[in-house]
Amino acid sequence: MIKRINPYLVLALAIVLPGAGHVAIREAPRGLVFAFFVLFFSVLTYMTTTPDQSFIGRHAGGLFVWALSIPDAYRRARMRYATTNRIAGTSANR
């Protein structure tokens, strides 16, 4: 039986830690890729900005990728949740 995880829990995990939402829905490679690119672009923008920039400005690249990963994890979790509910509903009717 497929374990269903609530999409809102996945959303919370994705907000707290980049890639954690993907790992929770068993898409670990995708989550690790997101986590890698968050770190990579964060370091890249940190190295290319001036020291007088704010923390957000110095890590804008990583924060941008993190912001992209949040709705992606939620959307994938919602689709998986709907699919498992549909499968469970059709098998219960038999």
Side-chain angles (χ1 to χ4, degrees):
M1 186 164 142
I2 299 172
K3 173 110 171 126
R4 294 180 235 161
I5 187 164
N6 191 330
Y8 292 119
L9 178 62
V10 173
L11 179 64
L13 288 170
I15 290 170
V16 171
L17 190 65
H22 290 92
V23 172
I25 59 172
R26 297 188 176 122
E27 292 185 8
R30 188 176 184 91
L32 293 174
V33 166
F34 269 116
F36 170 76
F37 279 108
V38 165
L39 183 64
F40 175 74
F41 282 113
S42 184
V43 169
L44 183 68
T45 55
Y46 181 83
M47 300 300 285
T48 58
T49 57
T50 60
D52 61 330
Q53 299 294 322
S54 68
F55 177 83
I56 304 259
R58 295 210 69 182
H59 299 281
L63 294 172
F64 177 72
V65 175
W66 191 348
L68 290 176
S69 75
I70 293 169
D72 182 65
Y74 174 70
R75 181 182 53 86
R76 288 176 166 272
R78 194 181 66 209
M79 288 189 317
R80 183 173 291 206
Y81 190 75
T83 303
T84 56
N85 280 345
R86 192 171 336 131
I87 291 170
T90 56
S91 64
N93 292 335
R94 289 183 183 182

